[in-house]
Amino acid sequence: MGITAFMLSVPMWGIAGTPVFWGLLPFLALAFWGLWFAIRSNGRNLSLTETLWIWRDEVRVERCEPDGRRLRWQADPMRVRLKVHKDARLEDYLTLTGGSREIELGAFLAPEERVALAEEIERGLTRALRS
C-alpha cells in the first residue's frame, strides 16, 4: 500500500501547494481508501470455508464465516438430497436438503467448480448408502 500511495502521489508533486492540489487531494485520498478497502474486504472473504463430511450414518456441513461464526448442519444420508438449481443470477446453484432444512453449498465457487462439487457429493452419498 505504501508503493501505491507513492505512485498515486507522483502526479501531484508538480502542483503541490496550489489550489488545484487541494482540489484534487480528496479524490486521491478516496482512490487510495477504495483500494485499501477492497483489499481488506477480499482478505476477510478468503477466510470463509465450508467443510462437508459424508459418513454412512451422517452427513455434516460446517461453515466458518469471516467473522468467526461457525454454522453447522447435519442430516441422515438416506434423507439428504442434492439439487443443482439453474438460476440466471447464480449459475448452477447447489443446495443440500435434509429433513426440514435446505442449505446452500459453494456459493463462492465458480460454476464449473460447483458442477464438479455436485458430482463428487453424489459419488460420496452413493458410497455412503452402499456401505
Side-chain angles (χ1 to χ4, degrees):
M1 290 304 295
I3 292 170
T4 302
F6 174 76
M7 295 304 287
L8 285 172
S9 70
V10 168
M12 303 290 279
W13 293 350
I15 57 171
T18 66
V20 174
F21 173 83
W22 295 109
L24 291 177
L25 187 62
F27 297 104
L28 177 72
L30 184 62
F32 182 77
W33 177 83
L35 182 62
W36 178 81
F37 179 78
I39 289 172
R40 296 277 302 184
S41 179
N42 187 42
R44 280 193 301 272
N45 291 340
L46 288 176
S47 64
L48 171 72
T49 60
E50 288 179 347
T51 309
L52 171 69
W53 293 276
I54 301 175
W55 294 289
R56 62 186 168 117
D57 60 339
E58 181 181 41
V59 174
R60 184 182 309 162
V61 176
E62 182 175 281
R63 179 180 171 111
C64 298
E65 297 286 337
D67 63 3
R69 290 182 300 143
R70 292 186 180 271
L71 307 172
R72 292 181 179 92
W73 176 85
Q74 60 190 26
D76 182 1
M78 297 287 283
R79 299 178 190 266
V80 170
R81 299 293 170 254
L82 177 68
K83 186 172 182 184
V84 179
H85 302 266
K86 299 296 181 185
D87 188 332
R89 180 185 59 85
L90 187 59
E91 192 177 330
D92 296 321
Y93 177 76
L94 288 179
T95 59
L96 269 181
T97 305
S100 62
R101 250 179 102 191
E102 183 175 44
I103 63 166
E104 171 187 6
L105 284 179
F108 51 86
L109 297 174
E112 308 83 46
E113 293 173 322
R114 286 193 291 267
V115 169
L117 177 62
E119 292 169 359
E120 192 173 333
I121 292 171
E122 284 292 344
R123 283 194 300 273
L125 288 171
T126 302
R127 277 195 305 268
L129 294 176
R130 285 187 189 158
S131 59

